[in-house]
Amino acid sequence: MRAAGYLPEALMGHDLMQLSALVERLMAGFQAAGAVRVEPPALLDAETLLDLYGEDIRTRAYTTHDPVEGERMLRPDFTVPVVEMHTAMGQEPARYCYAGPVWRRQEPGSDRPTEYRQVGYELFDRGDDAAADADVFALISEALQGHGLTVATGDIGVLRAAVAALDISERRRAALMRHIWRPARFRKLVERFSSPAAPSADRARLLAAADAGPDEVVALIKAAAPVQGQRKRAEIVARAMALKEAAAEPPLSAEDRAMLDQVAGLTGTVASAADRLAVMAVDTPALAAAAARLAARADALAARGCDPAVLPFAAQFGRATLEYYDGFVFEFVDEARPDLPPIASGGRYDALTAALSGDAGIPAVGGIIRPEVLLARGGV
Amino acid sequence: MLKLGLPSKGRLQDDAIKWFERGGITIRRTGSGREYAGQVEGIEGVELVLLSAGEIPRELDAGRIHMGVTGQDLVHEKLPHWRRDLVELAEMGFGHADLIVAVPSSWIDVETMDDLDQVAAAFRAQHGYRLRVATKYHALVRSFFRDQGVADYRIVDSQGATEGTIKNGTAEAIADITSSGETLHANHLRILSDGLILASQATLFMSRNADWTAEGQAILAQMCHQLDVAPPQIDG
């Protein structure tokens, strides 16, 4: 029988009491900080998650079909249901805490559990982002004090700022931004923008037609095949013209490439990274805002008793996770136990609330703790 | 007795029988015309099980048959963990079928998966919903698109006549099996230059999950010898 979470026994008796006590202790800590306890639904509309995360969510979330309601998914985490709950009935600013199971499909042969508990805290606030980031981090850090865990932090916004600072077309910028969470693809794009490959014969023919004008492109389309389906002729022509412009674009400069590499390689502590980014902003003024944000966060963390001069920072950290963390990210791990997942993780996800609400969305930051992993380590 | 699963009818069965014949193994249909029964001659201890090609992967996975002939496309799609549970004994050289990604031939601006990714992003912005890929092979397509870094799309299920979905407005691109490419061409579709997901052919698979006795392993070894196929390692 698969264990519940990471505990060696199924839940009963002493283990169950220990887990319940730990969960209640963590929740009490969040509630003392002003969080309202919520219990959002576990069964979600699959469309929402598919729209947000794309097809990949099917490899992560359990899907079931209801003849009346349609496709449903078991929540792989609390983020979407809490945001939906807040959008429907919350007032701002808002702090929520929750405890309950999440369900995740795993790779065949994996010994990760497909069902485990999370205890989480979310903060929705249009005010001071740095203070909010520090608030979430400090709370979780305090809850995990004395457990000998190693922390890692990052900020996806730093890499985004570097992309925003590049001297390239908006098309290229948008392509890089879209793939920020896919490091391999991002790297390939950067290489292609730096040294473009020669176009294929067909592409060269298309570019030549685009050079002559939209009518020539239409003629090429007509010669190829009748237009079928929802993608209309005008869209094909528009892209052909955009490809023509892209072909004329100069390659990514060596300086820009170096700046991107430098920012992506930024590692150290929160304090040292903020300092270094400020130095880089002298040469690249577009980095100034990100540098100011990092500095503000360092100050806010210090104010909450978390020393930014010892907190590790890496600009690359957090990129390979689920999309939508677009700012501050953090994680607490047991370095002596690489077999265990992080004991806690979290970050800022403004882009997700924006995507869910369809417009600006409310700035949001939060984190979760895995109580079963904490117990499995022992010494609780 | 080793159980050998074969497709119950069609070209795949005919070609499989011819293939086994080369190793001196004769597979004979028995019973009346419609009866799913047969016998195996030229080797001792092998029993024939006739199944639909689509069900052979499941039967192999469950260990209800020791060996089976089916397409790699069906195994890779239905059994994501097939490398753990099955062994490819021999690619049989027939039943070739490529699983490919195809787009309308009128999309003269799309040659590669990278083009498709850019088009998908623009399509979503323009139309408000994700570009749809019609296919029967959900797992294979999902895995391929993820490896290629294409994100802004949705899979719509198509169990047949997939080439017609674009014209009918239910998809913008397709992923389907093709052999000659003629159906694609006739439906004004073109394969992407890097759009080969899987080159599949009929393959003799062995199931690790079946009940393998010492006797069974001996029969397998004999079979491999006759067919000039490398015998597999079977762990205990």
Side-chain angles (χ1 to χ4, degrees), chain A residues 26-47:
Chain A
L26 293 171
M27 289 293 274
F30 293 153
Q31 284 172 296
V36 168
R37 182 168 195 157
V38 292
E39 276 214 14
L43 259 188
L44 310 175
D45 180 18
E47 264 318 297

Side-chain angles (χ1 to χ4, degrees), chain B:
Chain B
M1 283 296 264
L2 290 197
K3 295 198 173 175
L4 168 66
L6 235 56
S8 51
K9 58 184 178 183
R11 184 78 182 273
L12 218 51
Q13 187 197 80
D14 297 339
D15 287 338
I17 291 175
K18 284 201 196 84
W19 187 86
F20 278 99
E21 194 62 63
R22 287 175 1 205
I25 297 173
T26 303
I27 294 169
R28 228 178 272 289
R29 291 291 295 263
T30 58
S32 68
R34 290 173 199 269
E35 189 181 342
Y36 290 116
Q39 63 194 37
V40 180
E41 297 164 8
I43 184 166
E44 292 290 326
V46 179
E47 179 190 323
L48 189 68
V49 181
L50 292 172
L51 297 157
S52 94
E55 289 184 350
I56 289 176
R58 185 193 64 212
E59 296 303 294
L60 284 164
D61 189 44
R64 283 191 286 267
I65 54 178
H66 295 81
M67 291 167 293
V69 173
T70 188
Q72 289 159 318
D73 59 323
L74 295 175
V75 166
H76 291 224
E77 172 63 24
K78 290 167 191 278
L79 308 176
H81 47 276
W82 70 269
R83 276 185 186 81
R84 181 192 68 188
D85 300 304
L86 271 53
V87 175
E88 284 190 351
L89 285 178
E91 289 179 326
M92 297 164 86
F94 58 87
H96 291 279
D98 289 347
L99 178 60
I100 51 87
V101 180
V103 301
S105 303
S106 57
W107 291 13
I108 56 176
D109 62 324
V110 177
E111 289 173 46
T112 62
M113 288 295 289
D114 184 58
D115 286 323
L116 186 60
D117 177 50
Q118 293 175 39
V119 163
F123 185 88
R124 189 177 184 189
Q126 174 77 24
H127 292 261
Y129 59 90
R130 288 178 195 253
L131 181 147
R132 297 162 298 175
V133 180
T135 187
K136 188 168 112 174
Y137 298 87
H138 298 202
L140 283 168
V141 168
R142 208 167 283 131
S143 174
F144 183 71
F145 274 54
R146 181 170 58 249
D147 289 344
Q148 298 286 315
V150 180
D152 271 318
Y153 75 102
R154 286 287 299 274
I155 290 179
V156 301
D157 185 48
S158 172
Q159 292 295 324
T162 308
E163 296 88 349
T165 53
I166 297 171
K167 185 167 181 197
N168 294 336
T170 55
E172 283 64 55
I174 66 163
D176 201 15
I177 290 282
T178 185
S179 18
S180 64
E182 279 169 26
T183 316
L184 288 171
H185 188 73
N187 284 281
H188 310 293
L189 297 170
R190 177 174 33 86
I191 304 174
L192 296 183
S193 65
D194 56 353
L196 175 65
I197 300 177
L198 176 70
S200 167
Q201 60 180 288
T203 300
L204 178 63
F205 287 92
M206 182 208 96
S207 168
R208 292 191 207 274
N209 299 338
D211 183 24
W212 287 99
T213 60
E215 196 206 348
Q217 291 183 46
I219 299 172
L220 176 66
Q222 173 63 25
M223 195 170 197
C224 287
H225 174 74
Q226 284 180 230
L227 293 167
D228 196 23
V229 160
Q233 298 279 58
I234 302 176
D235 304 318

Side-chain angles (χ1 to χ4, degrees), chain A residues 105-190:
Chain A
R105 299 177 60 159
Q106 301 293 346
E107 295 290 310
S110 161
D111 53 11
R112 291 275 178 109
T114 51
E115 176 176 12
Y116 70 94
R117 275 168 184 69
Q118 286 186 350
V119 178
Y121 173 78
E122 311 292 331
L123 169 46
F124 299 96
D125 192 345
R126 284 180 211 278
D128 184 348
D129 279 2
D133 291 350
D135 181 48
V136 169
F137 182 83
L139 255 185
I140 291 187
S141 182
E142 277 152 33
L144 298 174
Q145 210 157 45
H147 286 279
L149 300 177
T150 311
V151 66
T153 75
D155 189 337
I156 310 281
V158 166
L159 202 49
R160 288 174 63 83
V163 171
L166 295 172
D167 181 21
I168 53 176
S169 67
E170 287 318 303
R171 265 180 23 101
R172 282 187 168 179
R173 197 185 320 281
L176 286 171
M177 290 290 197
R178 274 182 64 228
H179 289 296
I180 263 198
W181 293 286
R182 288 177 207 95
R185 184 125 166 83
F186 184 90
R187 197 164 34 248
K188 261 206 235 157
L189 275 177
V190 170

Side-chain angles (χ1 to χ4, degrees), chain A residues 157-168 170 173 177 256 259-260 263 276-294:
Chain A
V158 166
L159 202 49
R160 288 174 63 83
V163 171
L166 295 172
D167 181 21
I168 53 176
E170 287 318 303
R173 197 185 320 281
M177 290 290 197
D256 266 353
M259 186 270 295
L260 200 54
V263 172
R276 213 138 82 238
L277 201 57
V279 168
M280 289 186 67
V282 171
D283 284 334
T284 314
L287 291 176
R293 262 202 334 270
L294 263 191

